[in-house]
Amino acid sequence: MKVNCRSRKSWRQVCVRPKEQQLLQTQLLTIQDYGYPSGLMFPMFFCTNNYLKSEIVRASHFHEREYRFSTRAPWKYSFQPAFVGTHDLVEHRKLHFQARGFKYQKMSSPVMGKTENNVAVKDYSQELPLSNCYETAMEALSSLITRQKRGTPSSIIPKYGKLDRMQMYLKILDLEEHIAELKIIHVAGTKGKGSTCSFCEAILRECGFRTGLFTSPHLIDVRERFRIDGLDISEDKFLLYFWDCWNRLKEQVTEDLPMPPLFQFLTVLAFKIFVCEQVDVAIIEVGLGGTNDSTNVIKEPVVCGITPLGMDHTEVLGDTLGQIASHKAGIFKVYYRTHPQIPAFTVHQLSEAMDVLHEKANELAVPLKVVEPLDERKLEGLKLSLSGDHQYTNAGLAVSLCKCWLQRTRNWEKIFQNDNEEANMPKAFLRGLATARLSGRAQVVYDSSSNCHSSLELAENSSGDLIFYLDGAHSPESIEVCAKWFSSAVQESKQLPKLLSSFHDVEITKEVWANGYIQSERGSTAESNKISKKILLFNCMEVRDPQILLPRLVSTCASSGTYFSKAIFVPSMSTYNKVTSGNSAIPSGISNRDLSWQFSLQRLWEKIIHGIEGDVLDKGSKLDSAETLPPHEFLYEDASHCSPADGILACSSVISSLPLTIKWLRDCVRENPTLRVQVLVTGSLHLVGDVLKLLKR
């Protein structure tokens, strides 16, 4: 479904044209005495009586942060948290001004104003329910999803190449000259890109800079891809920037220049958001590869980074590590304004990949440095906010990238003039490393809905525990890292207080939000008496190779003494032809979905567990006809009870619906108070996102 919102009279048209000089008269609040820069305005949607209205407003004073060492002229800037309602913002602002003797005036519309970077904002006021607005935007985004499989050559040869089209889109939106002002950190790699970028964002935010972070994919809501000062962009701002890009690109669509596919559009939107939000630094994660990635329109990053490389997306990047490394090195750049070199950093790689990175760096005269993993002793007793030993590699790279960024933007000496840069880790760096967040990677979630009692005693004795360990690993290297993390996490849970994140307010847990976790206050006696069952909840895309992923997962866990009682294979809720939001409807019934892929995963699993070779299972096993849900006893039994002799290999199950699977697990632990079910969810970020969405509901 293609949506052209310019034809909808209920939508206001928002046009941002830097070269326009016209300024319409508007009533504005004079609040320079409060510390905001003169002329700083941003467009914003206000929700009044559940309908959308737009105003040009000054920045809110919530969470004021002083950017003393900005790459721009020093000024104070405040940002609106995603969880603060616009009604609260208006009321808080009104009280604030009244307390200081100012008369609060509502601003008129339509208006046109100019921001500091000479961006004019035009606004026409109409009304549309806010929820409908956002879902309409999701429908529009969904229309940009191509049905072509990765690696499959297109039957139509486009007139312009991918990066040429990206440049044209940026020109239409008047963003070309502004991208260099973003002071970009550009990061590519096979695994650890998101973690490294999250560490970078948190570190530089703690140093006092206004940060923009663009990552992919999103797990629950597309707004997760765009963070401003550590928070997902608010829904109203997303809509404003989204429709501005959408409408202006739609105006210029031709046969040779169609609307951009989904990821290209989101990349352009990220640049739009970061330019208009006037971030001091933009941390940009490469989507796929490097050389031909949509983000590689960045011509002048401040610094580049390459995270650990491995075999992934081979249908596009090539089937050797050297070919993949060549694509990743495509983000290396030759020049940076008056400076002849743009530095790059990487971590220790396999020789085949490292040789290619060095070769590419030498060709471009790029200074490439290899970074050691972060020394735990430098954390001064703090812990990395992202779990897993592999995060020390990502953290070490992030520290080097941030230090280089600060030095090249001439901010290092200003901020850390009294610190010994070699001996000590700056305190701001420590805070960033200890508070960075990234959902769906080595994340632990305690499902409190299976235990909703107000009494601690009742909670301990009336229900078992249901704990989800979520990691979107989907490559051979990342699945091995995931297995090591899971084994370590379940071993630690036997001895240490649990640090578990929850989406529910439960009286038996103390809400200590540190690094996205809540610390449980449960007693240890009852916990130690519970029977632990480790369950694998798995799915992967058909382009992956489960014959590599599953054996490596099992063997790595087994080497640490961790064994799965059962495995459940389930299709993801997410479809690859629709963009949904956190509020999108969750399918309740069981559709007639093709489960042949899940049954093939189950056969492979049974072969691995029982050491069966050949096609024995394909011929005589009873795996292709399963009940909707297995009995609860299935979960209670040990793997030793499923014998290949009887032809019914009950070490695994295929369940046709993810919501039913979560409900079934919850019912099992409610029924058996002596049970602790530890569920590893992996194989697909789509699956991880779907589970998080269900737990959040």
Side-chain angles (χ1 to χ4, degrees):
M1 174 182 178
K2 292 188 177 181
V3 182
N4 185 349
C5 286
R6 290 186 62 84
S7 64
R8 294 171 61 93
K9 293 184 179 180
S10 57
W11 270 105
R12 75 196 54 186
Q13 178 189 14
V14 182
C15 301
V16 181
R17 305 188 187 281
K19 297 182 181 179
E20 291 188 22
Q21 299 299 317
Q22 179 185 8
L23 278 174
L24 301 182
Q25 294 297 321
T26 181
Q27 295 173 327
L28 294 173
L29 296 171
T30 305
I31 54 175
Q32 295 178 17
D33 292 339
Y34 184 60
Y36 296 104
S38 175
L40 175 64
M41 297 177 291
F42 61 84
M44 187 173 184
F45 287 116
F46 282 122
C47 188
T48 57
N49 297 326
N50 295 324
Y51 282 80
L52 202 66
K53 278 189 174 294
S54 180
E55 311 285 356
I56 300 295
V57 303
R58 298 276 180 172
S60 160
H61 61 276
F62 279 93
H63 292 273
E64 183 177 294
R65 184 187 301 277
E66 184 175 358
Y67 293 83
R68 299 182 305 162
F69 304 108
S70 169
T71 52
R72 296 181 173 81
W75 49 277
K76 291 182 179 180
Y77 190 92
S78 303
F79 61 94
Q80 173 196 348
F83 52 81
V84 175
T86 51
H87 173 74
D88 296 331
L89 284 173
V90 175
E91 292 302 313
H92 199 126
R93 187 182 296 108
K94 185 186 298 184
L95 292 174
H96 176 79
F97 293 141
Q98 288 174 350
R100 284 158 178 75
F102 291 107
K103 182 179 179 182
Y104 183 87
Q105 293 179 306
K106 191 174 182 180
M107 288 156 277
S108 61
S109 181
V111 295
M112 180 176 287
K114 289 174 68 179
T115 64
E116 254 186 14
N117 60 0
N118 200 33
V119 175
V121 180
K122 189 176 180 180
D123 173 44
Y124 298 97
S125 181
Q126 294 291 338
E127 295 187 343
L128 191 70
L130 184 60
S131 59
N132 291 351
C133 297
Y134 198 67
E135 290 306 316
T136 303
M138 296 304 101
E139 292 177 7
L141 272 179
S142 299
S143 71
L144 301 179
I145 298 176
T146 60
R147 304 300 187 265
Q148 182 179 335
K149 289 187 177 182
R150 284 178 182 168
T152 305
S154 175
S155 57
I156 302 175
I157 300 177
K159 180 177 180 179
Y160 304 107
K162 179 179 179 180
L163 295 182
D164 291 332
R165 292 196 304 273
M166 283 293 297
Q167 291 288 358
M168 296 170 75
Y169 297 139
L170 293 174
K171 186 173 183 179
I172 290 171
L173 298 174
D174 298 310
L175 292 174
E176 280 183 308
E177 63 187 51
H178 293 291
I179 290 181
E181 300 172 5
L182 293 176
K183 303 292 188 293
I184 291 170
I185 297 176
H186 201 191
V187 180
T190 303
K191 52 189 188 295
K193 298 194 302 290
S195 299
T196 300
C197 288
S198 296
F199 279 132
C200 286
E201 186 279 329
I203 289 171
L204 293 176
R205 174 162 39 87
E206 289 296 335
C207 288
F209 296 96
R210 182 163 171 79
T211 58
L213 174 64
F214 176 58
T215 59
S216 59
H218 63 273
L219 298 181
I220 298 176
D221 195 294
V222 71
R223 291 182 295 112
E224 298 167 24
R225 297 177 184 240
F226 315 95
R227 283 196 216 164
I228 303 294
D229 275 328
L231 298 171
D232 299 347
I233 188 170
S234 62
E235 197 167 285
D236 48 10
K237 283 188 178 182
F238 174 85
L239 287 171
L240 182 68
Y241 297 130
F242 171 83
W243 287 117
D244 177 55
C245 290
W246 180 273
N247 292 336
R248 293 174 65 181
L249 290 175
K250 272 289 187 182
E251 286 180 339
Q252 303 295 325
V253 165
T254 65
E255 184 177 348
D256 294 328
L257 187 69
M259 282 293 283
L262 179 63
F263 187 74
Q264 292 179 39
F265 183 91
L266 294 176
T267 302
V268 170
L269 179 59
F271 292 133
K272 169 76 171 182
I273 290 170
F274 297 155
V275 167
C276 290
E277 290 294 311
Q278 296 185 314
V279 300
D280 298 314
V281 54
I283 300 98
I284 306 293
E285 177 190 352
V286 168
L288 193 158
T291 302
N292 297 316
D293 186 69
S294 300
T295 65
N296 211 26
V297 290
I298 300 169
K299 295 179 179 178
E300 301 178 27
V302 175
V303 61
C304 298
I306 306 288
T307 66
L309 300 180
M311 301 298 293
D312 196 16
H313 302 298
T314 55
E315 71 280 4
V316 176
L317 304 180
D319 54 8
T320 69
L321 204 53
Q323 290 174 321
I324 291 172
S326 180
H327 276 277
K328 306 295 183 179
I331 68 168
F332 291 166
K333 299 297 186 298
V334 180
Y335 64 93
Y336 175 70
R337 297 188 180 180
T338 59
H339 300 282
Q341 299 171 325
I342 297 176
F345 293 83
T346 189
V347 299
H348 288 283
Q349 311 278 1
L350 293 176
S351 59
E352 183 181 355
M354 188 64 79
D355 290 344
V356 172
L357 294 181
H358 280 301
E359 180 183 343
K360 291 290 183 179
N362 290 334
E363 288 177 5
L364 300 174
V366 169
L368 176 64
K369 295 183 180 180
V370 180
V371 178
E372 298 293 330
L374 182 67
D375 187 341
E376 187 176 3
R377 292 172 295 182
K378 289 189 175 183
L379 292 174
E380 300 179 10
L382 294 175
K383 289 187 176 295
L384 294 178
S385 58
L386 304 181
S387 300
D389 291 341
H390 61 289
Q391 294 295 356
Y392 288 98
T393 298
N394 300 327
L397 179 59
V399 166
S400 294
L401 291 171
C402 290
K403 181 179 176 181
C404 180
W405 186 90
L406 288 166
Q407 291 171 336
R408 291 180 67 80
T409 56
R410 300 180 180 179
N411 285 292
W412 177 268
E413 293 79 9
K414 297 177 184 178
I415 302 177
F416 305 120
Q417 53 187 340
N418 296 323
D419 287 356
N420 183 332
E421 68 176 76
E422 297 299 332
N424 301 318
M425 180 85 70
K427 300 299 182 185
F429 279 47
L430 293 176
R431 292 194 300 270
L433 293 170
T435 58
R437 63 181 179 88
L438 185 66
S439 296
R441 284 80 163 180
Q443 182 179 5
V444 185
V445 177
Y446 177 78
D447 182 44
S448 57
S449 69
S450 62
N451 200 339
C452 298
H453 305 279
S454 59
S455 165
L456 177 61
E457 182 179 357
L458 282 174
E460 288 183 350
N461 294 308
S462 63
S463 177
D465 291 335
L466 180 57
I467 307 167
F468 290 90
Y469 298 78
L470 303 111
D471 192 282
H474 50 267
S475 70
E477 294 82 8
S478 61
I479 207 77
E480 184 174 335
V481 169
C482 168
K484 291 178 179 177
W485 162 73
F486 176 67
S487 298
S488 175
V490 295
Q491 292 295 327
E492 287 178 1
S493 69
K494 297 178 181 178
Q495 304 168 0
L496 302 176
K498 293 177 295 181
L499 295 176
L500 305 167
S501 64
S502 172
F503 289 114
H504 302 275
D505 294 327
V506 185
E507 292 184 23
I508 62 168
T509 58
K510 179 181 178 182
E511 292 193 39
V512 184
W513 284 95
N515 314 328
Y517 293 98
I518 287 182
Q519 181 171 350
S520 172
E521 289 188 322
R522 288 190 170 195
S524 59
T525 304
E527 296 296 314
S528 61
N529 293 330
K530 292 194 173 182
I531 301 170
S532 177
K533 297 286 185 180
K534 297 168 186 62
I535 308 298
L536 174 65
L537 184 59
F538 187 90
N539 190 38
C540 66
M541 296 176 64
E542 294 188 30
V543 295
R544 310 294 177 194
D545 189 350
Q547 298 191 59
I548 296 177
L549 299 181
L550 287 175
R552 187 167 296 191
L553 175 65
V554 172
S555 61
T556 304
C557 285
S559 66
S560 301
T562 300
Y563 301 91
F564 293 99
S565 301
K566 298 292 166 66
I568 299 174
F569 300 97
V570 60
S572 301
M573 295 188 307
S574 300
T575 59
Y576 304 111
N577 59 2
K578 185 172 178 58
V579 180
T580 59
S581 70
N583 296 321
S584 298
I586 293 176
S588 55
I590 304 174
S591 59
N592 295 322
R593 301 187 66 171
D594 180 10
L595 299 176
S596 57
W597 176 247
Q598 282 68 42
F599 281 117
S600 67
L601 294 174
Q602 184 187 24
R603 287 193 186 89
L604 176 59
W605 178 262
E606 296 287 349
K607 290 179 181 180
I608 295 168
I609 295 301
H610 296 287
I612 298 175
E613 301 291 340
D615 299 327
V616 176
L617 293 179
D618 297 327
K619 297 178 180 178
S621 60
K622 302 175 183 178
L623 294 177
D624 287 336
S625 57
E627 299 179 25
T628 302
L629 291 172
H632 291 178
E633 289 74 21
F634 166 80
L635 190 63
Y636 308 149
E637 292 177 348
D638 291 328
S640 58
H641 288 88
C642 44
S643 168
D646 55 16
I648 302 177
L649 307 181
C651 287
S652 58
S653 179
V654 171
I655 300 180
S656 59
S657 163
L658 183 58
L660 281 179
T661 302
I662 301 299
K663 181 181 183 301
W664 178 79
L665 287 168
R666 287 169 169 168
D667 290 342
C668 286
V669 297
R670 287 195 187 104
E671 182 181 278
N672 192 335
T674 65
L675 205 60
R676 177 189 288 123
V677 178
Q678 297 168 303
V679 184
L680 174 61
V681 184
T682 191
S684 165
L685 276 168
H686 294 281
L687 177 64
V688 167
D690 290 341
V691 170
L692 284 172
K693 183 181 292 188
L694 288 167
L695 297 181
K696 186 177 180 180
R697 294 290 177 92

